[in-house]
Amino acid sequence: MSLSEIPIDDLKNEIMALLDEMAAHSDDPEDPGVTRLLYGVSWLSAQAALAVRMEEAGLAVRYDNVGNLYGRLPGKRGGEAAVLTGSHIDSVRHGGKFDGAYGIAAGIAALGFLRRTYGKPLRPLEVVSFCEEEGSRFPIAYWGSGNATGIYDWRHAGGYKDEDGVSLEEAMGASGFGRADGPDCRLPPLAAFVELHIEQGLVLEHRNRRIGIVETIVGQRRYSLSIEGAANHAGTTPMTLRQDALAGAAEIALKLESLASSWGEPLVATVGKLEARPNTPNVIPGFVEMTLDIRHSDEWSLSAFSDLVLSEIQRIADRRRLRLAVTPWLATKPVPMSKRLTARVEAACAGLSLSYHRMVSGAGHDAQLLAPLCPTTMIFVPSRAGMSHSPDEYTSPEQLAEGAAVLVSVLYDLAYKE
């Protein structure tokens, strides 16, 4: 399929219109960023709006029992496994409008174009809007694809609570999902999964490449740390007698940075959230909650570094006479993509005369949960200045359309050809 066969301007206009529409579904419409958290009001309205757009594209729409939304283009052959594309609809707090939503918008546009131009495929095509991937509201990530792949079970949602004390089970039920008689979440066998996404990094822009072809998604470890010291008077407590939880947390953060820097690329490690109590100017902080995020493309290196960090953190806590509790809440292994599908994406880029770069994804994606179950690939488009999880996140309409053209070409090869 050549670029001349694909209506780039039509794809561009449709995708931008969908992204603008989705961006309006945010907890604070006046905020330049997007906050769309799992089972919130804006999340519900976004999924409902996407269902309408899927129907307008000629797709058969369904929800599963956790709120994953599917639009299906049936195939000519009965019983054939489907080719699935899509991404996640939730966002981080104060994030951008492209992360996740782009893959869904491009998927709807691609399936609509293929249906109008070529009619029914040989095997079914589906686009999915996974209900959650980010872990922004509850201390669990990939809730959508995790239930679709059987890694999670929606019946065990009661133990996860948001910062207001609302459980995942309660929020799910209030949104109309998680019913005892609800539709099954588990996906049937798939022919392939293709996820189109913004890069969320600097590599493509730095290398002046228009498409990224993901070879591996990094593994991740995420931890929540609770550090308990002793809150006391800031003026009357000698420095040598303090049990300052915040000072301990600061030393932990600096130790993490130092170790990660000495370990070298591609390892990265981050303290992303830190909250101190009582958070008063004249009181020594007695309690801190913080998070650790550690990533690497090699499983052994990821595990070895994580073990080293946890050991060093415990030494810091012991020396400072602080009580430390560590809760691991995410552990994913590095996931290679399908070599066969990667080659198909490469061929599509060549056919469309689009420059490309084979690369590692430093961010986690739904594709890593699908990869053990079916051939899976990821396609990236550039992110300006590498910005993501921010209102400044941006990819040009032309770049969005080019990524969608690659998606169209790959889906056509997978679903319409023998």
Side-chain angles (χ1 to χ4, degrees), residues 50 81 96 102 131 149 164 220 244 247-248 266 285 339 366 386 408 418:
L50 283 173
Y102 166 54
C131 66
T149 56
D164 296 319
Q220 298 186 43
D244 189 330
K339 292 183 179 180
D366 291 305
V408 166
E418 293 290 346

Side-chain angles (χ1 to χ4, degrees), residues 78 91 94 107 175 189 196 219 241 257 303 327 329 381 386:
S91 77
H94 194 58
S175 300
L196 176 60
L241 299 180
E257 180 187 45
S303 296
T327 304
W329 60 275
V381 292

Side-chain angles (χ1 to χ4, degrees), residues 309-319 322 324 326:
V309 166
L310 295 179
S311 175
E312 290 296 320
I313 287 172
Q314 188 62 60
R315 288 195 184 95
I316 292 170
D318 291 344
R319 175 167 46 78
L322 302 171
L324 174 69
V326 179

Side-chain angles (χ1 to χ4, degrees), residues 7-58:
I8 289 290
D9 286 342
D10 291 346
L11 285 177
K12 177 173 65 177
N13 293 336
E14 184 176 351
I15 290 168
M16 288 305 300
L18 266 169
L19 289 175
D20 288 342
E21 181 180 356
M22 289 303 100
H25 296 274
S26 178
D27 288 353
D28 183 2
E30 301 301 319
D31 187 337
V34 175
T35 300
R36 189 166 51 238
L37 307 183
L38 177 63
Y39 301 136
V41 173
S42 62
W43 176 93
L44 275 170
S45 62
Q47 287 289 65
L50 283 173
V52 172
R53 297 293 169 258
M54 289 179 181
E55 290 175 344
E56 291 175 348

